[in-house]
Amino acid sequence: MVLTYRTAGESHGPALFAVVEGLPAGLLLTPDDIDADLARRQLGYGRGGRMKIEKDRVQVKSGLRHGRTIGSPLTMEIPNLDWPNWAEDRMAVWEPKGDVEPITLPRPGHADLAGMLKYDSGDLRPILERASARETAARVAAGGVAKALLRRYGTSIRSHVIRIGPEVVAHERADLELSDFEGVDDGPVRCLDPDAAQRMVAAIKAHGQDHDTLGGVFEVRAFDVLPGLGSHQSGDLRLDGRLGQALLGIQAIKGVEMGAGFELGRLPGSQAHDEIFHSEERGYHRRTNRSGGLEGGMTHGMPLVVRAVMKPISTLPRPLASVDVATKQPRKAFKERSDICAVPAAAVVAEAAVAFVLAQALVEKFGGDSIDQLDAAVERFRSHMEQ
Ligand code: EPS
């Protein structure tokens, strides 16, 4: 069975949903496996008024019995607490009571214009509701389940913010370990460099006062990843490509790097690769990790390291030039309540994306309909690798 998920739900509709299919039966889950990440996703300096309304918590509607998966599709619902404010008119599911004015001023950078043209909509609302990054709450729920599965085999996933707008960490550390991430969620922007964090907060504040928005760069690391996930046999099986798709599929993500990434274009071959060593105690090992844990599209046991860039949020409080699609006359773009910066939240979403790709590759490699069958296959592989 292939492990997959699908989300549903509109930003100001009744709820968001994630349906995860292909989970082995017998996996133990707790509400906190999902809710802890949902809460982390809501944090970060620079978020707007909506986060004061929402208190994201999952309600499981199928696929679990007594806290264990039963092999059927797992359906998770996250209610939108803002829904009652939209239910009567703008996002009424059925015919609204009164007239609802269409929104006709597309925001540059948003899905608005391309979506309106593609879906023959004279109104932005149905496009923006699904394009909204509110949907990432459902992805984080699916990622929480994937993380619980990976944790069983020792894998942990962490993230941190490297840049927000003009402000960047003083030194990028290639050798960050799991313990270095302790407390990262306690900071205002999930940055490991406290001085840079202060500068980032100041930049968000200044840009907010100037009615502007900011993007940034974050990194996700997965520690103690099983080797041999993904495959060099075909392009679509390479894990680099699958991670790229998952990360670029997150709203506002415009670039992804694996390991040393774009820096590799500057280095000669002698400095770009990770030399191979072997010892009795450590087996095969490397002293560097420029590959970011991937060679030939396969994990090789070093930490997985991916970075991504998020563009600034396209709902600008001081809107950019646009065109009224009803009249074709120049107008300023539509504006509504939004965030100034959501990079710290995007890093949590990216953890979920990475977790799901790794969990999918794990299930693909080791198979099994129950968690005991999966455990046994992983154990056999581990003993085989030790020989
Ligand atoms: C978003 C606009 C804002 C954000 C939203 C994403 O929502 P609203 O228009 O209701 O103020 O808060 O993000 C979330 C609600 C969330 O949970 O992340 C957008 O247009 O993408």
Side-chain angles (χ1 to χ4, degrees):
M1 186 95 181
V2 182
L3 180 65
T4 57
Y5 80 97
R6 171 78 52 204
T7 72
E10 280 74 43
S11 179
H12 305 97
L16 298 164
F17 304 86
V19 181
V20 182
E21 196 173 24
L23 287 167
L27 174 67
L28 185 65
L29 292 173
T30 64
D32 206 43
D33 286 334
I34 298 147
D35 287 343
D37 276 355
L38 288 178
R40 290 172 67 229
R41 195 201 67 93
Q42 290 203 260
L43 299 176
Y45 186 82
R47 304 231 56 195
R50 178 77 184 272
M51 286 306 100
K52 295 190 178 71
I53 301 171
E54 303 298 341
K55 302 238 170 329
D56 295 339
R57 299 275 185 287
V58 79
Q59 296 175 5
V60 174
K61 301 290 179 176
S62 78
L64 271 193
R65 180 169 178 267
H66 303 169
R68 287 187 189 272
T69 56
I70 57 172
S72 63
L74 176 74
T75 306
M76 293 176 284
E77 177 176 344
I78 303 158
N80 283 324
L81 301 185
D82 203 16
W83 156 243
N85 302 320
W86 300 70
E88 294 278 307
D89 43 34
R90 289 166 297 174
M91 285 302 288
V93 173
W94 304 112
E95 199 63 31
K97 296 215 173 75
D99 285 343
V100 177
E101 282 293 302
I103 308 167
T104 58
L105 306 171
R107 291 159 292 181
H110 214 280
D112 298 347
L113 182 59
M116 280 178 101
L117 298 174
K118 180 174 164 67
Y119 289 90
D120 281 333
S121 175
D123 185 358
L124 293 187
R125 179 60 65 194
I127 308 301
L128 77 84
E129 283 292 331
R130 183 63 187 155
S132 161
R134 171 82 187 135
E135 181 264 351
T136 60
R139 295 191 202 205
V140 166
V145 177
K147 282 184 181 179
L149 181 64
L150 294 169
R151 232 183 346 262
R152 191 172 176 90
Y153 306 108
T155 304
S156 320
I157 299 179
R158 298 287 185 274
S159 68
H160 66 118
V161 170
I162 290 173
R163 167 184 291 282
I164 287 184
E167 301 298 347
V168 66
V169 295
H171 304 288
E172 269 206 56
R173 279 184 51 200
D175 60 347
L176 284 174
E177 289 175 13
L178 187 55
S179 55
D180 291 317
F181 286 82
E182 221 162 278
V184 67
D185 289 332
D186 302 335
V189 284
R190 312 197 57 257
C191 176
L192 293 172
D193 171 343
D195 291 339
Q198 267 187 4
R199 286 186 273 110
M200 289 171 183
V201 168
I204 296 168
K205 193 169 181 185
H207 283 77
Q209 282 165 352
D210 200 24
H211 309 290
D212 215 331
T213 60
L214 282 179
V217 176
F218 57 81
E219 182 175 82
V220 178
R221 289 186 179 228
F223 296 93
D224 299 306
V225 180
L226 278 165
L229 303 183
S231 172
H232 66 294
Q233 301 287 3
S234 284
D236 60 339
L237 300 178
R238 285 179 180 259
L239 216 63
D240 315 50
R242 293 160 68 171
L243 287 163
Q245 201 289 327
L247 291 161
L248 288 163
I250 299 170
Q251 291 83 338
I253 301 301
K254 296 302 269 185
V256 173
E257 291 183 298
M258 309 283 156
F262 283 89
E263 178 72 4
L264 291 168
R266 208 178 55 77
L267 298 173
S270 55
Q271 293 167 37
H273 302 290
D274 306 309
E275 291 183 297
I276 304 170
F277 303 91
H278 189 274
S279 69
E280 273 299 311
E281 357 27 292
R282 296 184 60 193
Y284 294 109
H285 59 274
R286 321 292 179 109
R287 292 173 187 160
T288 54
N289 187 20
R290 296 169 185 126
S291 69
L294 290 164
E295 283 175 331
M298 293 170 279
T299 55
H300 58 66
M302 292 287 281
L304 191 85
V305 183
V306 300
R307 269 182 301 279
V309 60
M310 182 186 202
K311 68 183 179 181
I313 282 166
S314 51
T315 308
L316 291 172
R318 189 192 297 135
L320 298 175
S322 184
V323 169
D324 187 333
V325 296
T327 64
K328 309 286 189 295
Q329 292 303 306
R331 292 273 301 277
K332 290 291 183 196
F334 167 65
K335 66 171 178 184
E336 75 176 5
R337 177 189 63 187
S338 194
D339 305 321
I340 303 163
C341 175
V343 178
V348 176
V349 178
E351 287 177 21
V354 168
F356 208 89
V357 170
L358 289 178
Q360 193 179 48
L362 178 104
V363 169
E364 178 183 287
K365 177 166 170 55
F366 297 104
D369 293 306
S370 74
I371 201 73
D372 288 348
Q373 292 165 21
L374 188 56
D375 284 354
V378 171
E379 206 36 60
R380 256 195 320 276
F381 176 73
R382 278 194 166 136
S383 328
H384 166 76
M385 293 296 277
E386 276 162 17
Q387 283 161 21

